[in-house]
Amino acid sequence: MYLLAIESSCDDSSVAIIDHNAHVQICVSQSQDEVHKLFGGVVPEIASRNHSQNLLPLIEYAIQKTNISWDQIDAVAATNEPGLIGSILVGLVSAKTIAMAKNKAFLGVNHLEGHLLAAFLKDEDHQVPEDFNYPFVALTVSGGHTSLYWVEALGQYTLLGKTLDDAGGEAFDKFAKMLKLGYPGGVQVDKKAQSGNPEKYHFPRALLHSGDLNFSFSGLKANAQRLLNSLPEEQIAQDLEHLCAGFQESVVDSLLEKAKTAVWQNKDKFVNSRPRLVITGGVSANSRLRQKAQDWGQRKNVQIVIPPIRYCTDNAAMIAYVAMEYFKQGHRSDFNLAASASSTKESLK
Ligand code: KG4
Ligand code: ZN
């Protein structure tokens, strides 16, 4: 059984084919970073126009490269929420049209659900740990979202906490913009931070003792702007690595402290396994976050699962996985399924 999925909710055009065992046959993406970086951020109108140019060639390439014929494909899926409405529409209408023309089942997928379950993806170069399964605590951090969930099973998610203002990725991107490091900023800050001392500049960690599992990054952003305003240009240039390392440390600590608390609060629910923490979304590509999480997991006997970077940032494989799991359970979406800029699934707000 094969399923083809399209992801186009932001600025990456992506197409994947997956089989019924969650084995990714191919996942091809076309980044639009080169275009949007001229504007310092994603320009929605340009993003949707590029999706409409990118998607069909990507689909053709995926089919040719895998040698999987349309006869072998049982269903076609696309992200239908949340994201940039114009971008989503391009992928969604493409998937519906193909499904209708080729007489395939059609499924719409929530983008956040894709990130949430990306830890189950496997391919030729990547296996899922044998003892990994539901349930788990999940931290999803991207450019648009920062949330903690209790994940019981497919479709059974409880929101434990979320950001009250900016997303973790947004904080990285805005800091990078202040330092004129280019777009997208997270990966630039990560690179610079690798040779910096995280203790030279101290940035605040908001809500650390708030007693809940929410996050906040707007104060950090303001604090960083104030600090940069107070420093001479030459010192900023000289201390770029240290500034990045200090800022990154603050975001990583804020994320991890809440994730750790979520794991301990739910530890009794892990009856047949050690506790599990999954970290997904674009920011889980961050090298410091990966390293600190893995170190903690080893010390505390908590299983930490972070998908390979290609499945952390936006990709169609995670959409294909979710669609295939629902498809196997007999679910189908209506052809009049709407695109939505926000999440309409109550548990995935
Ligand atoms: O999941 P994603 O690809 O798109 C959204 O759905 O938002 O996440 C993109 C976000 C951006 O804010 C980007 O700066 C951030 O993930 N990001 C990183 C790293 N790589 C990507 N942030 C920190 N360190 C990284 N290495
Ligand atoms: Zn995303």
Side-chain angles (χ1 to χ4, degrees):
M1 217 152 53
Y2 292 111
L3 180 148
L4 182 143
I6 298 172
E7 154 63 35
S8 68
S9 66
C10 191
D11 61 335
D12 289 318
S13 317
S14 183
V15 170
I17 301 177
I18 202 165
D19 74 6
H20 54 284
N21 289 320
H23 201 279
V24 181
Q25 308 295 305
I26 192 166
C27 180
V28 274
S29 304
Q30 202 159 331
S31 157
Q32 301 182 16
D33 286 352
E34 287 303 311
V35 189
H36 298 287
K37 81 177 180 198
L38 302 172
F39 304 92
V42 178
V43 183
E45 178 56 35
I46 296 178
S48 17
R49 227 177 304 149
N50 281 333
H51 285 310
S52 63
Q53 283 169 6
N54 297 344
L55 284 175
L56 291 184
L58 285 174
I59 293 171
E60 254 167 49
Y61 178 82
I63 296 275
Q64 269 174 20
K65 186 86 181 163
T66 53
N67 250 332
I68 295 170
S69 71
W70 279 108
D71 287 345
Q72 294 170 280
I73 293 177
D74 301 278
V76 182
T79 303
N80 78 300
E81 63 175 41
L84 301 172
I85 194 80
S87 289
I88 294 176
L89 270 171
V90 178
L92 186 63
V93 171
S94 307
K96 284 178 182 175
T97 310
I98 295 169
M100 220 177 255
K102 296 199 181 288
N103 206 17
K104 311 288 178 191
F106 159 71
L107 293 100
V109 174
N110 181 296
H111 179 84
L112 298 175
E113 198 168 2
H115 277 305
L116 211 53
L117 304 187
F120 288 111
L121 289 169
K122 53 191 178 215
D123 60 32
E124 237 173 52
D125 304 315
H126 172 72
Q127 285 302 313
V128 174
E130 257 179 32
D131 53 346
F132 176 69
N133 209 334
Y134 297 110
F136 52 86
V137 169
L139 169 67
T140 61
V141 207
S142 70
H145 300 269
T146 300
S147 305
L148 272 165
Y149 296 96
W150 172 251
V151 180
E152 184 73 40
L154 179 72
Q156 290 179 39
Y157 319 119
T158 309
L159 181 66
L160 304 174
K162 64 176 186 172
T163 181
L164 303 177
D165 38 62
D166 293 349
E170 208 176 343
F172 272 113
D173 294 340
K174 285 181 178 165
F175 185 63
K177 206 167 181 176
M178 291 175 206
L179 291 171
K180 303 185 187 64
L181 291 181
Y183 167 87
V187 63
Q188 309 295 340
V189 176
D190 188 349
K191 267 191 206 150
K192 290 265 181 280
Q194 282 171 21
S195 44
N197 170 9
E199 281 164 18
K200 173 143 193 201
Y201 292 96
H202 182 82
F203 290 86
R205 282 112 172 104
L207 304 184
L208 222 50
H209 307 290
S210 60
D212 58 26
L213 294 172
N214 292 327
F215 306 90
S216 167
F217 295 105
S218 65
L220 169 65
K221 187 179 62 188
N223 180 282
Q225 186 67 70
R226 266 198 307 277
L227 172 68
L228 295 180
N229 289 346
S230 73
L231 294 177
E233 289 277 332
E234 312 79 67
Q235 193 176 340
I236 295 179
Q238 205 179 343
D239 279 356
L240 206 53
E241 283 86 1
H242 304 315
L243 286 161
C244 287
F247 183 88
Q248 173 177 269
E249 205 70 5
S250 161
V251 178
V252 167
D253 284 350
S254 304
L255 293 170
L256 276 183
E257 284 313 310
K258 295 292 167 112
K260 291 177 192 175
T261 308
V263 167
W264 296 138
Q265 284 181 355
N266 288 280
K267 72 174 191 319
D268 294 340
K269 297 184 191 159
F270 294 95
V271 273
N272 295 317
S273 74
R274 57 195 169 133
R276 299 186 180 106
L277 172 65
V278 168
I279 309 181
T280 62
V283 178
S284 59
N286 184 267
S287 59
R288 187 72 175 149
L289 178 64
R290 292 172 99 89
Q291 181 208 343
K292 278 194 126 173
Q294 294 291 0
D295 289 350
W296 176 74
Q298 260 182 4
R299 279 202 313 279
K300 302 289 182 185
N301 197 27
V302 173
Q303 184 176 31
I304 309 289
V305 180
I306 312 177
I309 291 176
R310 60 186 176 283
Y311 299 141
C312 285
T313 50
D314 286 351
N315 67 88
M318 66 186 193
I319 304 303
Y321 175 79
V322 172
M324 180 58 102
E325 290 306 293
Y326 280 112
F327 180 67
K328 287 194 294 193
Q329 291 190 355
H331 290 265
R332 307 289 182 266
S333 296
D334 226 59
F335 276 110
N336 63 11
L337 178 75
S340 170
S342 54
S343 203
T344 59
K345 281 201 167 183
E346 209 39 58
S347 59
L348 287 170
K349 292 281 183 196

